[in-house]
Amino acid sequence: MSTEDPRTESTPSRNEAAPQAIAAASRLGWPMVVRGILGVAFGIVTVFWPRDAINPAQLSLPTEVVDHLAIGYLILFALVLVFQAVRSPLNVRTAIYGQAVIAIPAIVFLFLADHPAELRAALSIWALLHGALEFWAYRQLRSQPMASDFLIASGVHVLLGIILVFGDGMEALSILGFTGAATLIAGVIFIIGGYSRLSKGRQLAKLGALPEQIDTPAEAADPADAAPSGAADATDAASSSAAADTPDSTDPDGAADRTADSGDPDDPDSDTRVTKEP
């Protein structure tokens, strides 16, 4: 029987996949920063729009003006989303491209909106669909660090959509204010998240641990998940080796070998030494 111990490779820890996840997250840094700056700029313009009770003209805006502001924001927002999708991992690009696609019908509906109710309907549907796709992106990126940024952005847009759906009697200026507040909150989150991703990516590059292939999801390349199968293969190999060294009990040749050495001196195949008397 073989006495050689089975040789198994050391199982890498789960933390070894962290550099790949950080590198994948750092690619989203600049798109998130640009997206955040756009949201903050739109939010500041709309939330802090002059509202002076002395001047009644500042308490309301024509629907056409709000339409043009929202259309301009959505066009720039869709372009930034395309930039973000190009730099995103493969498993999340569909969700990001979907966010850019749903901006197209929203822009068309805003061009056709002549009343605050139509404006509210167009922005509420866009916000709900965008929030749902943002949540899908979070589900695909939750293995990366700081993935909760997408979850917060999803919640903000869904909340905006709910407010607009039930906001009967809202005027154009109120609709613009709530939309700007949502983009402002999401923009701040994305600026902070994008800068944090870029900082971690630079730290990883200084350590020389930046992997080349980062499009593969971290959970798909998790070495810890493959450990049980590797251990099972090593066990099977050890069992096969032991079985090969041990003679089969049903083998007739093996039985003959065990009965051949019977200790009979007259047996020519016997290993017993014969002593001749003088």
Side-chain angles (χ1 to χ4, degrees):
M1 181 179 296
S2 175
T3 60
E4 183 179 358
D5 295 334
R7 290 170 292 179
T8 58
E9 297 179 357
S10 59
T11 303
S13 62
R14 186 176 294 269
N15 293 332
E16 292 185 9
Q20 183 180 10
I22 294 175
S26 64
R27 285 175 59 90
L28 297 175
W30 280 117
M32 291 180 66
V33 171
V34 175
R35 178 178 170 181
I37 293 174
L38 177 62
V40 169
F42 179 76
I44 291 176
V45 171
T46 56
V47 172
F48 299 100
W49 189 276
R51 293 173 175 85
D52 191 358
I54 299 177
N55 187 0
Q58 294 182 356
L59 297 179
S60 63
L61 279 178
T63 304
E64 183 180 358
V65 175
V66 179
D67 286 340
H68 291 164
L69 289 174
I71 289 171
Y73 169 74
L74 288 179
I75 291 175
L76 295 176
F77 188 61
L79 295 176
V80 174
L81 286 173
V82 172
F83 174 47
Q84 179 180 347
V86 171
R87 297 181 61 87
S88 298
L90 293 176
N91 63 331
V92 78
R93 288 182 184 176
T94 301
I96 305 299
Y97 278 126
Q99 295 175 16
V101 169
I102 63 172
I104 298 176
I107 293 171
V108 175
F109 291 148
L110 288 173
F111 269 118
L112 301 176
D114 295 328
H115 304 285
E118 297 173 349
L119 173 64
R120 181 167 56 88
L123 290 178
S124 63
I125 295 174
W126 166 78
L128 291 174
L129 292 177
H130 181 82
L133 290 173
E134 199 82 84
F135 181 75
W136 183 16
Y138 160 73
R139 291 291 301 272
Q140 299 297 324
L141 295 172
R142 58 183 176 179
S143 61
Q144 293 186 3
M146 300 171 291
S148 59
D149 297 337
F150 295 91
L151 180 61
I152 297 173
S154 172
V156 169
H157 284 87
V158 171
L159 181 60
L160 171 65
I162 294 174
I163 292 175
L164 295 179
V165 166
F166 293 99
D168 295 335
M170 277 188 176
E171 296 296 332
L173 184 59
S174 300
I175 297 172
L176 182 65
F178 278 105
T179 305
T183 59
L184 179 61
I185 295 172
V188 172
I189 294 297
F190 277 115
I191 289 177
I192 297 175
Y195 179 77
S196 299
R197 285 168 170 80
L198 291 174
S199 298
K200 289 183 178 295
R202 286 193 293 266
Q203 293 176 2
L204 200 66
K206 290 180 180 179
L207 296 176
L210 189 66
E212 296 181 358
Q213 179 66 26
I214 61 177
D215 283 339
T216 304
E219 61 270 18
D222 193 352
D225 295 337
S229 59
D233 294 341
T235 304
D236 293 341
S239 300
S240 300
S241 177
D245 294 338
T246 304
D248 191 357
S249 59
T250 60
D251 186 6
D253 295 337
D257 292 342
R258 288 194 299 272
T259 58
D261 189 9
S262 59
D264 188 359
D266 297 332
D267 189 353
D269 295 333
S270 175
D271 293 338
T272 306
R273 302 179 64 181
V274 180
T275 305
K276 294 183 179 181
E277 297 181 358

